[in-house]
Amino acid sequence: MQINLSHPLITENVSLKKFNCYKVGGNARYFSAPKNNQELSNLLIYIKNIGIKYDIISAGTNTIVSDNDYDGIIILLNRLNSYIIKNGNNIKVGASVRLNDLISYTIESSLAGIESLVGVPGLVGGAAIMNAGAYGVEFKDVTMSLDVIDSNGVVSNISNNDVGFTYRHTKNLKDKIVVAAEIELHKSDKLELVKKRSDILKTRAEKQPLDKPSCGSVFKRPKDGYAGDLIERTGLKGFRYKSVMVSDKHSNFIIGCEKDIKSDDLYDLINYVIDEVNKKFSIILEPEVKFIGFK
């Protein structure tokens, strides 16, 4: 089905390589990057009326895009609602604010509660939708409510209790896009927060392959144990497959080891790791990453 390309929010044949951490992906037949709720709402209504498939990319830090062209519309959220509004200990923050920029702002404001997530890549909207977590803190712990838009273009506000936060998931946000979050923090000593941030970033640098292309942790933590430990005990630490490999620094990271990474190599290696761990431990690892365009 053809789209009226005179629509001000839609462009055609856009490469997706620059919108994800691995720099992989073909072209999107159609592409849009709305900047506010009204633009996104109008776009979603338009998409529903013409009946074309669509998918979402936030910062692309937790996304693997197929090298095949995407025959639909990709909606990019990295420009959507770029604002931070402080009201006492509460902050209203737009979906496209980088999580680490938000943390820097809260530390400068001597507000604590979210600083443990420093170093987690991505945007606030993505952190909310996947309930990002680190060092015993999850995004749900500071969330008061989320502003969301559904596939009909309707904006609503959902309280923390109604979001359905679980481990790296939000049960009640299917077919909804987070456009803003309101979080509640508490006053703390700025110097202590600065030190905590520094300590966490140092630990991350020591334990994670931050100098290589990756999407962070590939697999969710299973009920028993840790994904990285299971992968290492399977003998796959440092295992290379074509243009990618299981990191020899942290086994739950899959990194690019060639300049030209292939998305099929990532997809195949992830599934190989799942199969091998399952053979050895009868545990099926569940990916944290989102796949776009794979069959």
Side-chain angles (χ1 to χ4, degrees):
M1 180 178 293
Q2 291 295 320
I3 293 181
N4 178 8
L5 294 179
S6 64
H7 193 290
L9 294 177
I10 296 174
T11 53
E12 188 175 2
N13 293 327
V14 174
S15 172
L16 299 176
K17 290 183 182 296
K18 59 184 176 181
F19 301 120
N20 65 89
C21 55
Y22 286 112
K23 307 302 180 189
V24 295
N27 288 349
R29 183 179 179 188
Y30 303 110
F31 179 88
S32 184
K35 298 182 179 66
N36 54 55
N37 290 359
Q38 189 63 59
E39 287 187 354
L40 178 57
S41 179
N42 290 343
L43 178 66
L44 290 170
I45 292 170
Y46 184 74
I47 288 172
K48 184 167 186 178
N49 286 339
I50 62 175
I52 194 169
K53 71 175 181 178
Y54 70 94
D55 219 317
I56 305 294
I57 295 178
S58 184
T61 54
N62 206 38
T63 304
I64 298 176
V65 184
S66 171
D67 287 328
N68 296 319
D69 289 344
Y70 184 84
D71 189 24
I73 181 165
I74 291 292
I75 303 175
L76 183 70
L77 301 182
N78 70 356
R79 304 174 190 174
L80 178 70
N81 293 344
S82 183
Y83 60 76
I84 299 177
I85 303 171
K86 180 176 174 292
N87 182 16
N89 293 347
N90 296 350
I91 292 177
K92 184 73 173 283
V93 55
S96 72
V97 174
R98 292 198 171 273
L99 183 59
N100 284 291
D101 290 344
L102 172 62
I103 291 169
S104 293
Y105 178 87
T106 62
I107 290 175
E108 286 299 313
S109 302
S110 301
L111 292 174
I114 199 173
E115 66 282 350
S116 291
L117 302 187
V118 69
V120 174
L123 310 181
V124 165
I129 205 83
M130 70 167 291
N131 190 24
Y135 297 98
V137 174
E138 294 180 314
F139 197 82
K140 71 176 178 62
D141 298 329
V142 297
T143 299
M144 297 176 65
S145 66
L146 300 175
D147 290 346
V148 302
I149 295 183
D150 65 19
S151 58
N152 296 312
V154 177
V155 182
S156 60
N157 179 267
I158 304 179
S159 68
N160 182 306
N161 290 336
D162 294 329
V163 170
F165 283 114
T166 61
Y167 175 70
R168 302 297 177 269
H169 184 59
T170 43
K171 293 190 295 184
N172 299 331
L173 296 188
K174 182 177 173 58
D175 297 325
K176 293 181 175 62
I177 298 171
V178 175
V179 297
E182 186 171 7
I183 62 174
E184 183 177 26
L185 306 173
H186 58 272
K187 280 291 186 181
S188 186
D189 182 78
K190 179 179 175 179
L191 292 180
E192 290 182 3
L193 294 174
V194 169
K195 183 180 185 305
K196 183 175 180 180
R197 173 176 60 184
S198 177
D199 290 345
I200 290 175
L201 290 175
K202 181 180 178 182
T203 299
R204 284 185 175 276
E206 290 172 348
K207 296 183 177 181
Q208 300 174 356
L210 302 182
D211 59 330
K212 301 291 185 181
S214 83
C215 60
S217 294
V218 174
F219 300 103
K220 297 180 181 181
R221 186 178 68 234
K223 291 182 178 180
D224 299 314
Y226 294 89
D229 178 60
L230 293 172
I231 295 167
E232 185 170 350
R233 289 164 58 195
T234 305
L236 294 177
K237 187 173 186 178
F239 177 82
R240 178 166 179 169
Y241 176 75
K242 297 182 179 180
S243 64
V244 297
M245 65 180 286
V246 177
S247 170
D248 55 6
K249 194 172 187 179
H250 192 310
S251 296
N252 199 15
F253 280 63
I254 290 180
I255 60 175
C257 50
E258 292 183 4
K259 185 176 182 180
D260 186 18
I261 302 170
K262 301 298 183 184
S263 63
D264 281 348
D265 296 349
L266 290 162
Y267 186 82
D268 290 345
L269 180 55
I270 288 170
N271 283 288
Y272 179 74
V273 169
I274 292 171
D275 289 343
E276 292 301 301
V277 169
N278 188 32
K279 287 177 186 176
K280 188 172 182 65
F281 298 105
S282 297
I283 295 173
I284 299 176
L285 294 178
E286 182 181 355
E288 282 190 23
V289 296
K290 175 181 179 180
F291 297 95
I292 292 179
F294 293 90
K295 295 181 179 179

